Amino acid sequence: MKGIVLAGGSGTRLSPMTIPVSKQLLPVGDKPMIYYPLSVLMLAGVRDILLISRRSDLPLFQRLLGDGSQLGIRIGYAAQDAPNGIAEALIIGAGHIGEDPVALVLGDNIFHGTAFQFVLEEHARDVQGCVLFGYRVKDPHRHGVAEVDEQGRLVSLEEKPHRPRSNRAVTGLYFYDNDAVDIAKNLRPSPRGELEITDVNRGYLERGRARLVDLGRGFAWLDTGTPESLMQAGLYVRALEERQGVRIACIEEVALRKGYIDSESCYRLGAAMAGSAYGRYVMEVAQELTG
């Protein structure tokens, strides 16, 4: 499975913070926002990843993440020159995807759950059609909304409906088989001129090839689109990390625990940041798992 992180958009709701820098490079807790979606793909077992962002921001992401080899993965880069919708990422990334299935994650989405890795691995193992991840919210009118029947089968999808049929939002994480590229290429733009990801998902639904995985109790899905929600996400991460003594979305630790790098390599990555608590944590994890 190939991976795509869509870190585009202008982040206007976070202005003026996003005037000089991409929203996905802003800090959440003690790490850049982009670490969170990147860690999701790594936890799912995806090691070949394309990061899509504004052309002006790509050098900043490249400076931060390089080619991914230090994490035992591969990271490539591509530009989305205008905010033409989430589904455009599948078209931009068509060459990267090739004939493989793909996991697409939005660069401003934060997921956390104690069993999340196992959920991801299970559903990434053999993707037939599309797999969506649902989360119950208080304000479904702000999201794409999924409706399921009494047996839990997906029956409808709506984008930001005025009268939602359920309170189950579709999160910014999508697993697709290889048909997703052709479906995206044949979409008609919305009245706003965007290629809507809900239309891709609806294409699978109409063919009877879409399913929804409920992220219920024990999971968190955080929005970071406004100053208030960005601050709340940072507070959530800080509180959890201080209470449990572990770090969420520590990509070096994920790489080590997944076997992408060894303890020595992980320690060196931490030592390069030894002046920070984050770097010292990476070093401690590497020492704990040595041997």
Side-chain angles (χ1 to χ4, degrees), residues 113-114 135 214-220:
T114 54
Y135 192 82
D214 252 326
L215 299 179
R217 293 186 177 183
F219 287 92

Side-chain angles (χ1 to χ4, degrees), residues 10 16-26 54 57 60:
S10 54
M17 291 186 288
T18 49
I19 292 175
V21 67
S22 167
K23 168 175 67 174
Q24 290 84 6
L25 289 170
L26 295 176
R54 295 183 298 184
D57 290 323
L60 302 176

